[in-house]
Amino acid sequence: GIEEVNLFKEDGKVIHFVNPKVQASIGANTYIVSGPSETKPLQDLLPSIVSQLGVDNLSQLQNLAAAHKGASEADDDDDVPDLVEGNFEE
């Protein structure tokens, strides 16, 4: 059967179905996906969803990467504590 279905919305969110029931009328080009679903941000489904991304979604992914890089550069000072003078062996 079908393990998952992901419907990509224009706002960057994804409607994610796990083990859905899928019915198709190929002649009418109509598909029905039913079952429990969750609406999640794109980044919550990474990296397993990368192979399903289209051109529109790749630009969203680039924006997410740029935002993450900018945030990590701003936090670089927090990773290393300031040096403190003194004798710690006493």
Side-chain angles (χ1 to χ4, degrees):
I2 296 176
E3 293 179 15
E4 69 177 5
V5 172
N6 294 304
L7 303 174
F8 297 90
K9 296 172 59 176
E10 290 181 0
D11 65 358
K13 300 207 184 270
V14 180
I15 301 173
H16 178 71
F17 293 86
V18 178
N19 296 321
K21 180 179 178 185
V22 178
Q23 299 171 331
S25 174
I26 297 172
N29 197 27
T30 303
Y31 298 86
I32 298 172
V33 179
S34 59
S37 67
E38 295 181 83
T39 300
K40 298 182 175 187
L42 179 63
Q43 61 266 26
D44 286 1
L45 297 170
L46 292 175
S48 64
I49 201 171
V50 171
S51 64
Q52 300 172 21
L53 298 177
V55 176
D56 295 341
N57 301 113
L58 289 177
S59 64
Q60 291 175 351
L61 187 59
Q62 289 172 337
N63 293 340
L64 286 171
H68 181 70
K69 182 178 178 186
S72 66
E73 288 175 358
D75 292 340
D76 282 346
D77 292 338
D78 295 337
D79 294 341
V80 180
D82 294 332
L83 293 177
V84 178
E85 291 186 32
N87 186 355
F88 294 105
E89 294 186 14
E90 293 181 347

